[in-house]
Structures are given as C-alpha cells and as structure tokens.
Amino acid sequence: MYIRRVTRKNKDGTTVAYLQLAHNEWDPKAKYAKAKVIYSFGREDEVDRAVLERLAKSISRFLSPEQAWEVEKLTGEASDDFQFQSCKHLGGVWLLDQLWRQLGLGEILHSLFASRHHQIPLERLIFAMVANRALHPSSKLAMEEWVEKDVYIPHLPEVASHQLYRAMDELLIVQSDLERQVFHAVADLLNLEVDLLYFDTTSSYFEVDPSETPEEESLRKQGFSKDKRPDLVQIVIGLAVTREGVPIRAWVWPSNTMDMTVIKQVKQDLIGWKLGRVISVMDRGFSSEENLRTLQQAGGHYIVGEKMRSGKASVEEALSRRGRYQQIRENLHIKEITVGDGEARQRYVLVYNPSEAERQRKERETLLESLKEELEGFRQLPNEAHHKATCRLRSHPSYGKYLRQLKDGTLRIDKQAVRDAEKYDGKYLIRTSDDTLSAEDVALGYKQLVDIEQAFRTLKSTLELRPMYHRLEDRIRAHVLLSWLALLLVRIVEIRTHESWPKVRDECERLMLGHFSSKNGDLDQRTELTTKQAQFFAALGLEPPPKILGIHPRT
C-alpha cells in the first residue's frame, strides 16, 4: 500500500496532480500488477495536509521507534533543534533484562504471582533488585534514586523502598516453587550437566553489635566466622553449583550451624528435583560417616576430601600404602588406593602437587628460622618475662605445633613434628563411593571445587552480599535469594562470554541512553554500540537495544 501521484493535462495546457491511496493487485490475464485505488485525497494543491499527517501518525503507532522517527522527519514533525537533557546507564540493565527474559525468569514470576492480584509490578521490582546487586549494590532506599535517575529499567520508571520490601516478602512466599522452576528452566535452556553437584558453606556477617540483637533472635548469632569477623553476628550460607559453576540453589542457616549437620537437609531438598544420578562433591568439612551414608541414599554417590590427620584407621592405611604416582596434569600426580574388601571397601585417591609441596616446604623453613630467633631471645629475658614469652609461643597457632617443652621448662624445636609435617606437603586425600569413575575423573572433579569458592567470592565481593543490614529473618533470607538470582545471571554471562563479570559489566555500562527535548516533543536515543559491546550481546544470543527507545510528541 502506498500513496501515488497521478497527473492529468487539461485542454488549456495546464497540468493537475491528484493524490491517491493505492495498492497493487496481480492481473492474471495481463500478467502484471495493476494499481487499485482505495481512496482519493483529491487535487494535490487542495489536499488538507493535516489529513495526511494524521494518517502517518496513526500508522507510526505500529512501527519501531526508528521507523516512526523517519516518518516524523518526513512529515516535518521532527526537529533537529534538540537539547540534550540527561542520560542514564542502559547497557548493563538491558543485557541482564534480556537474559532474564531468555531464561524465562520473568514468566516464572508472573505465573507464581498470577493468583495473588497485586497492584504493584512484582516481577519488575524483583528484577530491579537483582540487577542492582549485579551492577551497583546498594540499599533499598538508595535504589529509589538509582532507578529514577541513574539507570533505564524497561517498564519501571521509578520505585519506592516500601514496594521493594513488599516484593521481598512476596518472593519468600514462593521461594521453593521459584527455586525448582528456575533450575529446570535454566537446566533445559543451557543443557546443564547435573551429574556432578558441588556444595560448600560460608558465613556472612552483619554490621551490628551482638548485644543489640534481640534475645529471641534465632538466625543471627556469633559463631565460627569464615570472614574472620568473630566479633559480629552472622549467618551460614550454603551453595550448590554444577560442574560449569552455575549456582542451582542457596540455603540459609543460623550462624552456629556446623557443616556436618546440613547434608541431610540439602539431600532432602534436592530429592524432588529429579536430578537422576548425582555425584556430590564436597570439602573435608562434610566427610563424616553419617553424611556419606546420607549422600548415597537414592542411588547417589560422593567425592569428598578426607582429613589426613583425622586419625581414622582407613586414612592412616591409605597414606602408608606404597606405590608410584601417575602424572595426569602438570603439577598433578595421583595414586589410587583401595582399603578393605567387599562391601566394606573404601576407595581413595591420593593427590600430590610438587609445586605446592615446594611452596609449603619453603614456608616451613622460613617459619622455623623465625622460631629459632624467638628461642634465642629467651636467654636474655628475666624469669617472669621468660614464662610469659614461653606461654605465648606454645599457644601460637603457627609456632606451637613445632615446639616441645623439656622437663626443666625449656622449649625446643620438635624435629619429629617437622618430619611428620613433611609427609603431608603438597598432598590431599579424596574418597569416593563411585567405582565407575576413573581416578583421574575423581581428582579433576574434586579439583573443580574451586568453582564454588569463586562463586562465594563473587557473592561477597562483586555482588556485595556482606555486610548486611537487614534485621528481620525473612528479609535476610530474601536478600540471600536475590543475591543467588544475581549470581545465576552473572555466572551465565561469564560462561558464555569467557570474560569476567566486572569486565563485561564495565564495558556494557558505557552504553548510555540520552534524553533529548525539542519544541515538538522528546526523544530517547542510545549511544553507538562499540565492537566489544556488540560481541558480548552476540555471545549471549541477545538483541542489543534499538537506537531509538522512545518518541514522545508534545500535544
């Protein structure tokens, strides 16, 4: 369909032009297309121009912003006399929002909240908090200004902090369904391998004095701090990730929860997910016999680290077993050991890293030299000071294990303790219940446990999980849930782009959205895509934002 101009020559020699709305129809007899007039606007010099403008504007409602802008320019409505009013960050939020939609997270939340008939856009509010964790971690109050003035979030021009807290409360209500549906959606889309699941725990503290917590507080307590902040109350966070490093679920426990006690709940929570044959990979803190039996329920298997100085008879036998190491990687040597017979047999893999052994040897030599200097200084101390210095050395976390005290109270370096320590240099012991895995697969599978440590570092540093300021238990759990969703998006970006999230984030955040105004209206237009930005969007299979995001004619 198009507007055509036809002319007619009068008898007096003048020419008259007419404007018509027409479209072409195929004439099967003539074998060519003929123009069919749908509407005649009349003589060109008598046509009401406003009619054509209204027609163009009504059509532009169904065009993209760029196409509509071209129509505005053709009709003379668009003006080049624009003033640059403001700009917002666009690229980072746009990338996360497109990935959010690609994974189906928006649809999942809409379906979970469909029956609750809320007046606020819960899905958009939850996405905004997740994007804030990934891009510019801040408090919920600070997010009000961040959303309104700093970033462009599709379909969310502004927020209020009380709406964000309401969204957190609603999110926690649907947590179990959300976690399960998100896992299946992500696993199907990314074709995740879930035969190996890595699990570990960490702690996260609160900037509040222990005396300020209510007496009935059951979650925030003092405990063993992996952040080296025993002076503050904290919680324990568990995380399960796939072999690709994608986090599939997070848990929250009170601060005094021991690693040994959480496996049963983790196993139980994942039973309904129909994961099939799963081998759980865990660190030495989870290697109790009860935990290992739990991991083998429902046909599961485990790969766990063993404490080499645990005193277990089977561990001592495994470490004393002679045999040659097999080199499978640079600085990675393995030796397979089976202890016992029949169903009671236990399969171990002893791993040796020569470079790590050399590093530990040099560190110990430096420590012992320093210890000798400390002992030499005892000769010049008076009696009372001598006793204080002796107690200090014996209780020292590094020096104490290499000291022995004679009957007369004199301290000496324990040479036997030094020889015992040398036997463990560069070694760690792995135990597995799966006989189908090769020793190499067992060693490499356990070595990948570093991925979950990287996930914890991302949670705490990049996403700034800590310190937390929430007081209510439900808000604390919702905060961890939002951080898990942010970590999920971040890890998928890193896997697909083969770049760190900070690098992708910083590059995409340079893509800005400018707001321009003129006497005829306002225009939202982005800056030009850089080559690197285009590469990131392509690697993720996402569409970059259009050049013009909005046209707002002034009426």
Side-chain angles (χ1 to χ4, degrees):
M1 191 176 297
Y2 57 93
I3 293 180
R4 73 170 188 167
R5 181 177 182 273
V6 295
T7 59
R8 189 188 69 184
K9 192 170 185 179
N10 296 325
K11 292 181 180 180
D12 58 4
T14 60
T15 302
V16 179
Y18 295 86
L19 298 181
Q20 301 170 337
L21 181 64
H23 76 102
N24 291 336
E25 286 187 353
W26 181 257
D27 188 334
K29 293 183 178 179
K31 303 296 182 182
Y32 62 86
K34 294 183 177 180
K36 181 179 180 180
V37 177
I38 299 174
Y39 180 79
S40 177
F41 294 100
R43 287 178 50 165
E44 182 180 27
D45 55 343
E46 296 178 354
V47 167
D48 185 355
R49 185 177 178 84
V51 173
L52 296 179
E53 292 176 356
R54 288 196 299 271
L55 177 61
K57 287 182 178 179
S58 65
I59 294 174
S60 68
R61 289 184 296 138
F62 303 95
L63 303 177
S64 68
E66 292 94 334
Q67 294 168 327
W69 178 244
E70 293 299 323
V71 172
E72 293 283 340
K73 290 195 291 185
L74 289 174
T75 59
E77 291 294 318
S79 170
D80 292 330
D81 185 22
F82 277 101
Q83 291 184 339
F84 180 33
Q85 299 290 354
S86 63
C87 67
K88 291 183 175 183
H89 293 283
L90 172 65
V93 167
W94 187 273
L95 180 145
L96 292 174
D97 188 48
Q98 292 296 303
L99 182 58
W100 178 270
R101 297 173 186 277
Q102 185 188 77
L103 297 174
L105 304 186
E107 293 180 7
I108 291 173
L109 287 171
H110 281 305
S111 66
L112 292 175
F113 294 133
S115 61
R116 304 183 70 84
H117 306 293
H118 291 287
Q119 299 300 314
I120 57 176
L122 285 177
E123 182 270 337
R124 287 288 82 191
L125 293 171
I126 291 169
F127 168 75
M129 289 186 283
V130 170
N132 179 260
R133 282 289 107 196
L135 296 169
H136 190 269
S138 64
S139 67
K140 303 301 177 283
L141 185 61
M143 275 191 64
E144 293 182 354
E145 186 170 332
W146 183 71
V147 170
E148 182 183 0
K149 298 180 179 180
D150 296 336
V151 296
Y152 171 82
I153 298 181
H155 311 297
L156 190 69
E158 59 184 11
V159 298
S161 58
H162 68 86
Q163 293 177 326
L164 297 174
Y165 287 124
R166 176 69 183 279
M168 291 177 72
D169 296 338
E170 294 295 328
L171 179 66
L172 205 59
I173 295 174
V174 300
Q175 177 179 0
S176 58
D177 289 334
L178 173 69
E179 289 171 332
R180 185 178 64 256
Q181 291 189 38
V182 167
F183 166 73
H184 288 297
V186 173
D188 292 342
L189 183 65
L190 303 183
N191 195 25
L192 293 180
E193 296 183 26
V194 292
D195 55 337
L196 284 182
L197 288 184
Y198 298 85
F199 177 81
D200 203 352
T201 62
T202 189
S203 59
S204 188
Y205 58 84
F206 295 76
E207 287 287 2
V208 58
D209 190 89
S211 62
E212 298 177 14
T213 58
E215 292 183 3
E216 65 275 11
E217 179 77 55
S218 60
L219 189 64
R220 297 181 303 169
K221 296 284 186 181
Q222 285 180 286
F224 175 74
S225 175
K226 297 183 180 181
D227 296 319
K228 298 181 180 179
R229 290 302 305 268
D231 56 314
L232 299 176
V233 292
Q234 61 179 24
I235 57 173
V236 171
I237 299 172
L239 195 63
V241 305
T242 66
R243 66 166 70 206
E244 297 91 351
V246 177
I248 65 169
R249 180 157 180 175
W251 289 263
V252 178
W253 293 290
S255 63
N256 53 2
T257 303
M258 301 294 293
D259 285 350
M260 291 287 189
T261 63
V262 302
I263 296 303
K264 189 172 183 180
Q265 180 184 342
V266 172
K267 181 74 175 180
Q268 186 67 34
D269 288 345
L270 297 178
I271 283 178
W273 288 21
K274 299 179 181 179
L275 298 177
R277 177 179 177 273
V278 173
I279 303 172
S280 302
V281 186
M282 301 182 183
D283 208 346
R284 293 171 293 183
F286 305 93
S287 60
S288 70
E289 294 301 322
E290 182 180 354
N291 281 344
L292 299 184
R293 285 192 295 270
T294 300
L295 292 173
Q296 285 186 278
Q297 292 174 2
H301 287 283
Y302 60 79
I303 298 174
V304 298
E306 275 281 13
K307 295 179 180 179
M308 293 191 290
R309 307 187 196 208
S310 64
K312 290 182 182 179
S314 58
V315 171
E316 294 295 332
E317 184 177 346
L319 292 174
S320 63
R321 191 75 61 85
R322 295 183 178 277
R324 290 187 176 181
Y325 286 96
Q326 172 192 356
Q327 182 174 354
I328 58 174
R329 295 285 192 279
E330 184 180 3
N331 290 321
L332 189 61
H333 302 238
I334 62 172
K335 179 168 61 176
E336 184 173 357
I337 304 159
T338 302
V339 177
D341 300 311
E343 294 183 358
R345 72 183 184 280
Q346 296 175 7
R347 187 184 180 205
Y348 293 95
V349 176
L350 184 60
V351 183
Y352 175 64
N353 185 333
S355 64
E356 179 66 14
E358 180 64 17
R359 185 188 67 81
Q360 292 176 357
R361 183 186 65 79
K362 290 181 177 179
E363 284 185 354
R364 187 171 50 254
E365 287 179 352
T366 303
L367 181 69
L368 291 175
E369 286 296 326
S370 176
L371 180 55
K372 288 178 182 178
E373 293 178 4
E374 290 278 352
L375 293 177
E376 287 291 331
F378 279 9
R379 298 177 181 177
Q380 303 172 10
L381 294 175
N383 224 13
E384 185 177 350
H386 184 280
H387 291 311
K388 288 182 178 179
T390 299
C391 293
R392 178 180 59 82
L393 274 187
R394 289 187 62 190
S395 60
H396 194 281
S398 299
Y399 293 149
K401 57 187 175 182
Y402 295 120
L403 285 172
R404 65 188 181 95
Q405 191 168 24
L406 304 182
K407 292 181 180 180
D408 61 358
T410 306
L411 293 183
R412 291 287 185 269
I413 292 178
D414 190 342
K415 295 182 179 180
Q416 183 60 45
V418 175
R419 286 193 292 269
D420 290 341
E422 291 173 349
K423 295 189 298 185
Y424 299 106
D425 284 350
K427 297 177 184 176
Y428 55 92
L429 188 64
I430 308 169
R431 180 176 170 184
T432 181
S433 62
D434 195 330
D435 291 332
T436 65
L437 292 175
S438 68
E440 179 178 355
D441 288 338
V442 172
L444 294 177
Y446 185 77
K447 193 171 183 292
Q448 282 182 290
L449 199 60
V450 70
D451 286 340
I452 198 167
E453 295 173 358
Q454 177 61 41
F456 280 136
R457 282 193 291 272
T458 302
L459 264 181
K460 293 181 177 182
S461 300
T462 307
L463 306 182
E464 296 187 17
L465 173 73
R466 63 179 186 189
M468 288 184 277
Y469 298 91
H470 294 289
R471 182 179 60 85
L472 299 178
E473 180 174 329
D474 285 351
R475 297 276 169 80
I476 295 170
R477 295 184 183 277
H479 177 76
V480 174
L481 190 58
L482 291 168
S483 298
W484 163 66
L485 288 171
L487 179 63
L488 174 67
L489 298 179
V490 165
R491 285 298 297 132
I492 291 174
V493 170
E494 291 179 332
I495 291 169
R496 287 182 172 180
T497 62
H498 305 289
E499 296 282 4
S500 70
W501 169 245
K503 186 172 183 178
V504 176
R505 177 196 61 200
D506 293 347
E507 179 63 37
C508 289
E509 283 289 79
R510 298 185 183 105
L511 184 62
M512 307 295 289
L513 180 66
H515 181 74
F516 303 85
S517 65
S518 72
K519 64 180 181 180
N520 296 316
D522 295 345
L523 172 71
D524 295 321
Q525 180 175 334
R526 65 160 170 80
T527 56
E528 294 298 321
L529 280 171
T530 66
T531 302
K532 200 66 178 177
Q533 290 165 357
Q535 289 174 352
F536 287 149
F537 279 101
L540 290 163
L542 305 175
E543 288 293 328
K547 186 170 184 178
I548 297 175
L549 266 76
I551 298 175
H552 314 285
R554 186 159 292 142
T555 58

